[in-house]
């Protein structure tokens, strides 16, 4: 059973794009959704979710949730016994992503407004999995500190996709990628 493929089938990208962009949903590239943010390339999202290896009933943090697509995919992977918290800095995207996510009926997932100057959602830590869809220059210790024991974070850092495992913040590298900057 391919759980990632199942998530993509259950929650197609089209339902998480502004109406004017929905016809471009099959395009395997990033699409701008406003405020300098993008809906990530599907192939990249798939690769990140496979690296993240989300399991049923896990607690997951989605940093840079944007349109809500990755939050919905993560919620599908955790199932109703899990909990997914998306955080987004742009208020208009918090509203857009939350509305998109609400249509999925996955009440165990939510999107919150990120606190300026605070990475992630420390109040809800620790997390079993953290997905970051924006790129810092260096691996942020603030996010590493939000990982539970035996947890995984997937994050693009300085142009390279990293998989960080705890304990010990063990880092493996998984190819070159470009993302909007993590602010």
């Amino acid at each position: 059973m391919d759980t990632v493929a199942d998530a993509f089938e259950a929650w197609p990208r089209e339902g998480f794009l502004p109406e004017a962009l929905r016809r471009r949903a099959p395009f395997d590239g990033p699409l701008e959704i406003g405020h300098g943010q993008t809906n990530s390339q599907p192939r990249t999202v798939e690769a990140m979710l496979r690296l993240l290896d989300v399991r049923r009933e896990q607690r997951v943090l989605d940093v840079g949730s944007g349109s809500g697509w990755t939050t919905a995919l993560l919620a599908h992977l955790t199932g109703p016994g899990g909990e997914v918290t998306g955080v987004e800095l742009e208020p208009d995207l918090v509203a857009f992503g939350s509305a998109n996510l609400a249509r999925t009926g996955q009440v165990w997932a939510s999107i919150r407004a990120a606190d300026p100057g605070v990475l992630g959602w420390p109040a809800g830590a620790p997390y079993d999995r953290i997905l970051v869809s924006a790129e810092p220059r260096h691996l942020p210790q603030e996010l590493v500190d939000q990982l539970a024991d035996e947890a995984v974070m997937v994050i693009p850092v300085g142009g390279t996709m990293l998989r960080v495992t705890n304990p010990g913040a063990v880092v493996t590298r998984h190819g070159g990628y470009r993302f909007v900057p993590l602010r």
Side-chain angles (χ1 to χ4, degrees):
M1 177 174 176
D2 187 340
T3 58
V4 172
D6 289 345
F8 271 76
E9 186 174 322
W11 306 113
R13 183 187 199 193
E14 179 179 321
F16 297 87
L17 293 172
E19 194 169 328
L21 288 178
R22 289 183 181 162
R23 63 181 171 70
R24 298 196 60 209
F27 171 64
D28 191 27
L31 295 172
E32 290 188 30
I33 57 173
H35 306 280
Q37 306 300 316
T38 62
N39 180 280
S40 295
Q41 177 177 8
R43 186 172 12 141
T44 299
V45 173
E46 179 185 3
M48 292 174 78
L49 292 178
R50 291 190 187 287
L51 286 171
L52 199 59
D53 189 29
V54 176
R55 310 270 171 93
R56 303 301 268 179
E57 301 184 2
Q58 288 187 319
R59 297 185 70 249
V60 181
L61 178 64
D62 183 20
V63 178
S65 56
S67 70
W69 186 40
T70 54
T71 310
L73 294 169
L74 290 164
H76 185 86
L77 293 169
T78 69
E83 179 183 342
V84 180
T85 301
V87 290
E88 174 57 53
L89 195 56
E90 293 295 335
D92 289 346
L93 292 179
V94 172
F96 179 63
S98 293
N100 290 335
L101 184 61
R103 284 193 297 277
T104 72
Q106 297 178 111
V107 296
W108 57 95
S110 63
I111 297 174
R112 302 170 182 261
D115 292 326
V118 176
L119 291 178
W121 193 257
Y127 301 98
D128 300 305
R129 299 291 188 266
I130 299 176
L131 178 69
V132 183
S133 296
E135 184 175 349
R137 290 187 179 152
H138 306 285
L139 181 61
Q141 187 62 44
E142 191 173 354
L143 289 176
V144 172
D145 291 344
Q146 293 175 50
L147 289 170
D149 289 340
E150 308 303 321
V152 176
M153 175 169 55
V154 173
I155 178 172
V157 177
T160 302
M161 191 63 68
L162 303 182
R163 184 176 196 264
V164 182
T165 56
N166 229 10
V170 177
V171 175
T172 56
R173 289 163 175 70
H174 299 273
Y177 292 85
R178 290 182 54 198
F179 278 80
V180 297
L182 181 65
R183 299 182 277 143

